[in-house]
Amino acid sequence: MRARGPMLTLLAVLAVGLAVFGVNTVLAGGPADEPAVTTTAQSGSTGSAASAGSDGYGAPAGAPAQAAQATPQASAPAPQAQAPQQEQEAAPAVSDAAFAGRSAGNEVTVAMGVEGDKVVAYVCDGEQVESWFEGTVNGGKLQLSGVDGDLTADATDRAVFGTVAVGDKSWPFSAQPEDAPAGVATDRAVLKKLGTA
């Protein structure tokens, strides 16, 4: 009886120790548990879990992946090409005015009258050249033609610069504003008087 007492005590201690060891092993995830699964965040691979029939997150193999995919942001619509604006005819740079001047070498005098978009010019040299030109204003551009030549110029309210051609001769010229009665800037008598003054 004395020999059994210590033996039973020893067995009881051993049983308690084994029980504590078993509980610690279960709580600490010891060798009785499944091997830990290694996952790669970037590639999404599941390491050895693929061979174990698991996706590494506890879901069975073949289950749809639940990882959130980045939703592409809607790109801003490309700016639409602006429709070309209709080209509007420029307002005359000069209107209702009379001009008088001379060619660069003083060969001829030039008188010009503008009313609205209508232009009339008189060119003479006092001897052989005497020509009339008629045309239009488009913005600051003057385009006139006559029986024996043409005249082109750029005009503002302060001056006219251009070239006049009569027959086989042409001359660059400039002209400055001149006083003329209102409404008669294109009157031939007024222009002839300005052109011969």
Side-chain angles (χ1 to χ4, degrees), residues 99-103 106-112 121-132 175 178 187-197:
F99 299 86
R102 293 181 175 273
S103 60
N106 204 30
E107 298 90 353
V108 294
T109 59
V110 179
M112 186 179 301
Y122 172 73
V123 177
C124 75
D125 68 354
E127 296 178 3
Q128 297 178 343
V129 176
E130 185 175 21
S131 296
W132 289 96
E178 292 288 334
D187 185 88
R188 289 192 175 216
V190 172
L191 293 179
K192 189 168 185 178
K193 180 178 179 183
L194 292 175
T196 56

Side-chain angles (χ1 to χ4, degrees), residues 14-27:
L14 183 60
V16 170
L18 286 174
V20 170
F21 177 76
V23 170
N24 283 340
T25 302
V26 170
L27 292 179

Side-chain angles (χ1 to χ4, degrees), residues 34-92:
E34 290 186 16
V37 176
T38 303
T39 59
T40 304
Q42 291 180 350
S43 64
S45 66
T46 57
S48 62
S51 60
S54 169
D55 67 354
Y57 295 98
Q66 300 297 324
Q69 296 182 356
T71 303
Q73 295 181 352
S75 59
Q80 295 179 352
Q82 292 182 347
Q85 296 179 352
Q86 292 182 345
E87 192 173 317
Q88 298 179 354
E89 186 173 312

Side-chain angles (χ1 to χ4, degrees), residues 103-171:
S103 60
N106 204 30
E107 298 90 353
V108 294
T109 59
V110 179
M112 186 179 301
V114 180
E115 285 184 5
D117 63 350
K118 183 180 177 183
V119 187
V120 177
Y122 172 73
V123 177
C124 75
D125 68 354
E127 296 178 3
Q128 297 178 343
V129 176
E130 185 175 21
S131 296
W132 289 96
F133 301 89
E134 293 184 358
T136 58
V137 181
N138 185 3
K141 303 291 184 184
L142 308 181
Q143 187 73 43
L144 298 87
S145 59
V147 174
D148 54 357
D150 56 29
L151 185 153
T152 57
D154 293 318
T156 66
D157 285 331
R158 298 185 178 189
V160 176
F161 298 95
T163 302
V164 60
V166 178
D168 59 354
K169 296 181 179 180
S170 66
W171 307 275

